[in-house]
């Protein structure tokens, strides 16, 4: 027989919201199981039961924003550390891209619970996603995510000649990190000193460590795409809203 699950966990699994949002909605009486309002935290449900949310929850969720930043070097993705500013400090009215077509008005309340969905090293630049929406965060950094992330990486080979083809193949598949084999990656030359990496995972400093294993030194790293969403012409240090028609 199937074991019952915590309602908040089941709601997250169904992609309705994050667990934190689920607990908030349950406490407010905005969640129904098989048509019955459930307002007790910690309640459990069977996978076969139908979970629905009230319109107040859907309305609250529709106000949640997701922001795309072209992160410059010298900013950290999350919490401030070692005197470095977090990327969220760039999200202010004067840094909004003038060509952002989203009909939203910026308001400081949008900074509440605006957190990075994935990370980008302090010395890397490019597309960083900040979101208030637990569904977006789960899609991009959840355990089962398979959303592609594309990077342009300027490299220098630390041995005579050019990187051998068999080492390029190792970058594509065959490297082990932290005792675990890496998922297959798409790696190809863009030009003489720049590689394109397309990954479906994001271990800490993964690309730099991969390059180090085959004798390549990373001189510059820029993320240009996450899923179907591209960095495009967004200027460095500026941000825009995720468009209503854009999905990762």
């Amino acid at each position: 027989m199937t074991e019952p699950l915590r309602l908040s966990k089941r709601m997250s699994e169904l992609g309705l919201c994050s667990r934190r949002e689920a607990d908030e909605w349950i406490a407010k009486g905005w969640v129904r199981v098989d048509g019955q309002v459930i307002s007790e935290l910690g309640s459990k449900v069977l996978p076969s039961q139908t979970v629905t949310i009230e319109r107040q929850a859907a309305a609250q969720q529709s106000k949640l924003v997701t922001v795309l930043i072209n992160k410059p070097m010298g900013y950290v993705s999350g919490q401030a550390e070692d005197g470095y500013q977090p990327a969220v400090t760039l999200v202010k009215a004067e840094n909004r891209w003038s060509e952002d077509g989203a009909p939203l008005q910026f308001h400081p309340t949008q900074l509440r619970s605006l957190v990075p969905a994935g990370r980008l090293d302090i010395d890397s630049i490019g597309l960083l996603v900040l979101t208030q929406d637990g569904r977006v965060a789960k899609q991009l950094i959840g355990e089962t995510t398979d959303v592609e992330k594309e990077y342009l990486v300027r490299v220098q080979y630390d041995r005579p000649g050019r990187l051998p083809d068999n080492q390029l193949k190792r970058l594509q598949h065959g490297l082990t990190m932290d005792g675990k084999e890496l998922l297959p990656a798409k790696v190809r030359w863009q030009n003489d000193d720049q590689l394109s990496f397309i990954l479906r995972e994001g271990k800490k400093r993964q690309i730099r460590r991969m390059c180090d294993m085959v004798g390549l030194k990373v001189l510059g790293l820029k993320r240009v795409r996450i899923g179907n969403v591209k960095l495009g012409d967004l200027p460095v240090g500026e941000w825009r809203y995720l468009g209503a028609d854009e999905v990762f």
Side-chain angles (χ1 to χ4, degrees), residues 202-216:
K203 294 183 183 293
K204 192 171 183 181
R205 297 182 78 80
Q206 179 172 334
I207 290 176
R208 294 175 193 276
R209 291 164 71 191
M210 288 171 74
C211 286
D212 191 50
M213 288 176 196
V214 298
L216 289 172

Side-chain angles (χ1 to χ4, degrees), residues 12-30:
S12 174
E13 279 181 0
L14 290 168
L16 294 171
C17 58
S18 68
R19 289 200 205 183
R20 184 179 55 78
E21 283 172 318
D23 284 337
E24 185 186 319
W25 295 352
I26 291 165
K28 288 179 175 175
W30 290 353

Side-chain angles (χ1 to χ4, degrees), residues 113-131:
S113 306
L114 190 67
V115 295
R119 60 192 309 283
L120 200 53
D121 296 332
I122 191 167
D123 41 8
S124 300
I125 64 172
L127 185 57
L128 181 67
V129 178
L130 301 177
T131 188

Side-chain angles (χ1 to χ4, degrees), residues 72-92:
M73 285 180 72
Y75 284 81
V76 291
S77 300
Q79 299 294 320
E81 54 185 76
D82 301 329
Y84 292 108
Q85 292 272 71
V88 71
T89 59
L90 294 166
V91 184
K92 45 193 175 187

